[in-house]
Amino acid sequence: MKAQLMAAVAASALLAGCSQANGGDEMASANTAALPAENAVPEATGYFAAESTLPFEAPDFSKISDDDYRPAFEQAMAIHSAEIDQIKNNPDAPTFENTIVALEQSGAILGRVARVFFALTGSNTNDTLNAVQTEMGPKLSAHSDAITLDPVLFARVKAVYDNRAAMSMTVEDAALLEDTYEGMVQAGAMLTAEQKDQVRAINTKLSEVTNEFGNRVREGTVASALIVDSEEELAGLSPAAIEAAAKLAAEKGMEGKYAIALQNTTQQPSLPALENRATREKLFRLSVDRNDQPGEYDTRMLIAEIAQLRAQKAALFGKPDWASYVMYDRMAKQPQTALDFMEQMVPALAATQRREAALLNEKIAAEGGDFEVKPWDWYRYAEKVKAEKYAFDESAVEPYFQLDKVLEDGVFFAAEKLYGLTFQKRTDLPVYHPDVSTYTVFDRDGSELGIFYFDPFQRPSKRGGAWMSNFVDQSYLNGTKPVIYNVLNIPKAAEGEVQLVSFDNVNTLFHEFGHALHGFFADQKYASISGTATARDFVEYPSQVNEVWATHPEILSNYAKHYETGETIPAELIEKIERAAKFNQGYDFGEVVEAALLDMKWHALSAEEAAAIKTPEDVDAFERNSLEELGLEIGLVPPRYRSSYFNHIFSSPTGYSSGYYSYLWTEMLDRDSRQWFMDNGGLTRENGDHYRATVLSRGGTMDYFKMFENFAGRQPDVTPMLVARGLTGDDSAADAATTSDGKLPANTVSK
Ligand SMILES: [Zn+2]
């Protein structure tokens, strides 16, 4: 049920989201009355009324028009509500079948509409679809709330749940029951009427305050643009950048001056190029002090209020803090687990930060500088050192990566080697854009496994980033096989030119197909816990693991061939990319760890502790103490987002709060799994089949630690991640440890 509702509420919750989180809130707190109850289920009409007659029930885009969605949503919600009423009004005593399974099967039409609709609003939207989305968002949210907070429905679910010890269930049945029950409890089904009122009041207040936070950050970021009087102060920037700066200043009513807009992160992209140290410092301070100074953009008291409201809400649910409340369905489960995980990296990280700073100071001195490195100098000198140590030219790499070869001879080839899959291009299925191609995926025994849609190119109607999701979920109950799409944003080559892709996009292709494999190997009865329907701190793990094969010699030699000469990419070139990626991790990785730690610290406060943060200075002190007590060099490496402009965690009621650590957590699982593959012979069918059996086919049906243990024979270990990040000591040690069987580790951060 959860996934069906979530799909309806916000498809992004279902997407295996691969871009950095943008603070979107998956469960808005609309609380309108339930839709009118009907006893009979209304008749469905229109395209979405029936299952698609195409192979695998793939959506028939030739038969869907933009005008279909609004009526389809309205009708599908009414039908879903009527189905829920039938479950509630069933005269028979509640059973697993007539309540839990019935709920799972309800809302089928709504799920069908939502999966297609939200796929298109992500990858091929237009004004009509955007208007439908704006209108339907609150309605879908209210529809979802009406079901999860229905006391009669919950009484039936609880009756089944309370009887679970006496029931005979499969592991998957038990997982579905647990998920359904926990989801409703989490929404507030167990609360008294008075407590529900309090939750509603907190939700409303949280919406207001977090919305205000987002507004102030947006406005404060604009207002904090760097303004300088002369071109000399911007020495080092390109003529085009200087021209843009003059134009921006003029737009701001400061003709003759120069303005540089701030980007959302603490570090600013212009800093490395700026030769004038005073300009660098000015720009950096504007960024790092954003929304943290007295005045109209100050967000500090909003942070204090958000922290307090969240802690109060958690307390109503009997939880000690907000993190404990929101992490109930994560792999890590407890805030302390995530904190311990991050804190164990701190000593190595702090040492690396100091080592890197020393290296940069050497470079500064060698150039005759009489200062020590500060955050505003960091990337300027890091780039210089990097260019000396690891010189390579990205444009020298691209000719080896042709898009169709990367996909068919690289990504698909790796899937064949590991899992025995084969692929056949189709031309018979309607697609939503001419650039989309489709493939039938065949399993190791030759049977059909599912359909793969591939939508690679950038276009104005597509949002940024890369992602994977399903048009049709795998489910034995529904008799459906997976229909999966990967969406990327590769710049399209000019007509008639060879379509080449960057190394970064090669990794993204392997990454997104890792999500697709997780979806294709789904082996579940129930759609809502099948495939990638897993925890936020787990779902990015299989996709990251798949990136390792992009640089495996056997795979590389099959796909990475120069488009003119046919020569396979030289190993030295790949090695250079890999080595360069390990450089500067004290900063790159450190700023992410610090942001993730800040997130957890703010959300580990009890209601009393949060209430003790009363002034803007208290907010600053809390932030500083949270990081300094761990021994991190925050004067040198400030967090990627300081609290005052940390949109991911403060700009919506839930957003990514207590979840920013997930990027690091899944990387730990990924790196440790790569180690397992290396230790067990690397690229073999045996290894692939084992990974499929223990992880990729398990969906969200079991405890994730148990799943990992079934795969690796032990609990996850952070060491391989630290090695891969070059955080274990000097360069040579890190290098030696990553090439145990001649394979080169992939290097990108998660997408
Ligand atoms: Zn991903």
Side-chain angles (χ1 to χ4, degrees), residues 98-246:
N98 76 18
T99 304
I100 308 300
V101 177
L103 263 172
E104 170 76 6
Q105 289 187 288
S106 70
I109 301 176
L110 185 53
R112 207 144 60 215
V113 184
R115 278 189 294 272
V116 173
F117 178 76
F118 288 112
L120 293 189
T121 55
S123 60
N124 201 31
T125 197
N126 57 44
D127 290 347
T128 309
L129 296 185
N130 290 344
V132 175
Q133 186 170 19
T134 303
E135 183 189 334
M136 287 301 148
K139 289 186 183 179
L140 289 166
S141 178
H143 174 72
S144 166
D145 281 357
I147 296 168
T148 46
L149 290 173
D150 186 313
V152 179
L153 182 63
F154 180 66
R156 289 187 71 95
V157 170
K158 187 169 186 304
V160 179
Y161 183 79
D162 289 346
N163 188 42
R164 65 194 182 284
M167 290 157 48
S168 125
M169 289 187 292
T170 65
V171 169
E172 199 183 332
D173 290 344
L176 180 70
L177 175 58
E178 177 95 12
D179 245 36
T180 307
Y181 174 80
E182 293 275 337
M184 294 179 88
V185 169
Q186 183 75 3
M190 292 279 265
L191 302 182
T192 64
E194 192 194 339
Q195 287 171 322
K196 282 181 188 167
D197 284 343
Q198 288 175 284
V199 167
R200 268 190 275 270
I202 290 175
N203 286 345
T204 305
K205 192 74 194 152
L206 263 178
S207 296
E208 288 166 19
V209 184
T210 54
N211 191 49
E212 177 65 16
F213 179 93
N215 288 341
R216 284 193 204 177
V217 171
R218 195 181 60 248
E219 290 162 10
T221 300
V222 172
S224 302
L226 170 73
I227 311 289
V228 297
D229 295 329
S230 69
E231 211 180 303
E232 292 71 59
E233 290 167 89
L234 299 183
L237 295 188
S238 69
I242 291 176
E243 199 185 311

Side-chain angles (χ1 to χ4, degrees), residues 444-456:
R444 53 194 171 196
D445 63 0
S447 64
E448 291 178 325
L449 189 58
I451 302 277
F452 178 62
Y453 286 64
F454 183 59
D455 180 1

Side-chain angles (χ1 to χ4, degrees), residues 468 470 474 482 484 514-523 530-532 696:
M468 162 275 182
N470 288 51
Q474 181 276 339
I484 287 175
H515 286 305
L517 289 168
H518 199 185
F520 281 125
F521 292 146
D523 192 20
S530 115
T532 56
L696 293 177

Side-chain angles (χ1 to χ4, degrees), residues 386-536:
K386 189 173 174 177
E388 283 171 12
K389 283 184 84 161
Y390 311 104
F392 84 92
D393 181 4
E394 171 79 23
S395 65
V397 176
E398 273 204 19
Y400 294 95
F401 299 130
Q402 279 183 76
L403 179 59
D404 54 350
K405 287 204 166 20
V406 176
L407 181 69
E408 296 184 358
D409 300 341
V411 173
F412 289 173
F413 179 68
E416 184 181 352
K417 284 276 163 194
L418 285 159
Y419 309 109
L421 303 188
T422 51
F423 301 81
Q424 192 169 34
K425 197 163 189 165
R426 306 182 69 120
T427 50
D428 59 327
L429 292 175
V431 289
Y432 56 87
H433 189 281
D435 286 345
V436 179
S437 51
T438 57
Y439 294 83
T440 306
V441 183
F442 295 94
D443 206 349
R444 53 194 171 196
D445 63 0
S447 64
E448 291 178 325
L449 189 58
I451 302 277
F452 178 62
Y453 286 64
F454 183 59
D455 180 1
F457 300 125
Q458 244 171 22
R459 57 177 168 262
S461 61
K462 193 188 272 190
R463 69 175 164 86
W467 60 93
M468 162 275 182
S469 193
N470 288 51
F471 283 128
V472 179
D473 291 329
Q474 181 276 339
S475 160
Y476 294 122
L477 184 65
N478 302 335
T480 47
K481 290 184 172 188
V483 178
I484 287 175
Y485 54 90
N486 275 179
V487 181
L488 289 87
N489 266 285
I490 296 171
K492 195 176 180 179
E495 195 69 40
E497 302 261 305
V498 178
Q499 178 66 54
L500 302 175
V501 295
S502 66
F503 182 68
D504 199 37
N505 273 322
V506 169
N507 269 304
T508 305
L509 274 156
F510 277 86
H511 177 100
E512 296 309 328
F513 200 75
H515 286 305
L517 289 168
H518 199 185
F520 281 125
F521 292 146
D523 192 20
Q524 276 72 50
K525 183 175 179 184
Y526 307 116
S528 69
I529 47 177
S530 115
T532 56
T534 54
R536 170 172 287 175

Side-chain angles (χ1 to χ4, degrees), residues 16-18 466 511-512 515 539-540 543 751:
C18 294
H511 177 100
E512 296 309 328
H515 286 305
V539 71
E540 290 299 323
S543 53
K751 289 178 206 67

